[in-house]
Amino acid sequence: MTGDTHYDLEILAELAEGLLDVGTARQVREHLAVCDPCGELLADLAAVREVLAATPTPAMPMGVALRIDKALAAEAGRGGGVGLAEPPDWDELMRDAPWERPIEAPTRLGAEPVTPVEEPVHLGVVSDDGTIVPARRSRTRRRWAVPAVAAAAAAVVVGTAVVSTTLLAAGGDGPGAGSTGENRVAKPETPPKTYPRAPSYAMTNSGHNYSDHDLRQPLEGMFGYAQMVGGDSSDHANVDKCVSRVVSRSKLPTYAVDQGQYNGQDALIVASWKDKAAQTLRIDIVDPFNCKNLRKPALGRW
Amino acid sequence: MNSPPETPSAAERPAITDAELLTAHINGDPHAFSEIVKRHRDRMWAVALRTLGDPDEAADAVQDAFVSAYRKAATFRGEAAVTTWLHRIVVNACLDRMRRKSVRPVADDELIEAAERETPLPDHTVEREVSMEVSAALKLLPSDQRAALVLVDMMGYSVEDAAQVLQVPSGTVKSRCARGRAKLAPILSHLRNRTDLNRVSSAKGAELRDG
């Protein structure tokens, strides 16, 4: 009680929680019926609950999630090396690999950055029904061929190495060579996984809920970390569809795609090279169903 | 209710419960625990961040908690939900941290400056201002009241669930909440007319969507 007539916030809060004994509760209610200032205080208390409930709870930042995964991996290593042991450093292992150099100076350009391919094809794309459509017949297959041609043109203009599996597989002698190359491209920390159909970008499925803040951080930590997704996934066709849409808008070579969320909504995070030398990327966030942008494309770093 | 929606991983694998994952982890499945972490990390992060009011401290606490849960998985008896158990470990890690660190009283403007540093976003949304004020105000409460209010009012858990997490009777949770709200009321009352937060955020969402 403050003074003889009014009640303090604590009593009122206890009343609201049903903590007062029956007699006291009745007294306070009778007072509230006639006292406006105390009624105001009670409304303030209700507002506290509303404000607290309405305060957004942020998703865990990717950096923290990675830290925890590392700590748990170390924990697994300590306990006998089950499963989660630290993966090899692929950058280091692949440093002097013979295919490292040619990639830096592009001699041939892969023309299929938008769709997965079963085998090396030049200047053609795989259409919906699985047939290979040569790019020169683009007028009859406008919907598919236009993005592909645009992407190839962009690659020439930018002069960036489009690291396509065509280039790599041509030098090797089987799917093994192709999949190793694919892993090098994505700088993953996981051992190579076989890639039945290797698209020209790395695809991951982190499930991470990205915020704008995360996307200003270097992306390598996020994309490079998540496990590669095999090419046989049924989502793959959907992802490809959206990636080709993004390519048609950005005219940039797609480098990596992560399946996750953006502010709690399912999203594909598509990273394309803006300037590879400067390690700058264009980041498109699209919804995985209609391939619509969920926010304005922005610049990011690898 | 302010708790995040179900994580996509839970939607993808609805057949596997948390308890089954934990059993798989105990039996040596190397991926089971990561799945548990993936499902619950956002919620655990929110609890720790709101309870401690400091992202660095919260990151340490959540990491400690998950590592501890990883080690202690075998001691989980299944009489409570896995989420309750995880929450308990996270909240205890937070309270532990607050006890160990002699909490120095901080001036209000200092708190706001600190919050500015934490999230150097260029866009000053109403949502963010409110969030900063709430963080600063929560720091003024004793840790037991803060923990109760974070679980009940912010995360939307029932008093009974919060009581299980905090391992105290429901009545104690209620009285901690009541005392905490009484302290916050004078500080936060000016936000009373701005509780159209949800509309603000969806308008922002629409703006983002339409580019």
Side-chain angles (χ1 to χ4, degrees), chain B residues 87-101:
Chain B
H87 274 93
R88 188 180 296 158
I89 296 173
V90 170
V91 171
N92 285 341
C94 292
L95 295 176
D96 210 43
R97 234 152 230 290
M98 284 194 270
R99 269 193 292 272
R100 268 188 286 148
K101 209 178 133 194

Side-chain angles (χ1 to χ4, degrees), chain B residues 6 9-25 29 31-32 35-36 39-40:
Chain B
E6 282 300 302
S9 48
E12 277 163 27
R13 300 164 67 181
I16 304 172
T17 65
D18 290 339
E20 284 164 349
L21 281 171
L22 202 62
T23 309
H25 164 66
D29 180 339
H31 302 299
E35 179 62 24
I36 293 179
R39 284 184 186 182
H40 301 296

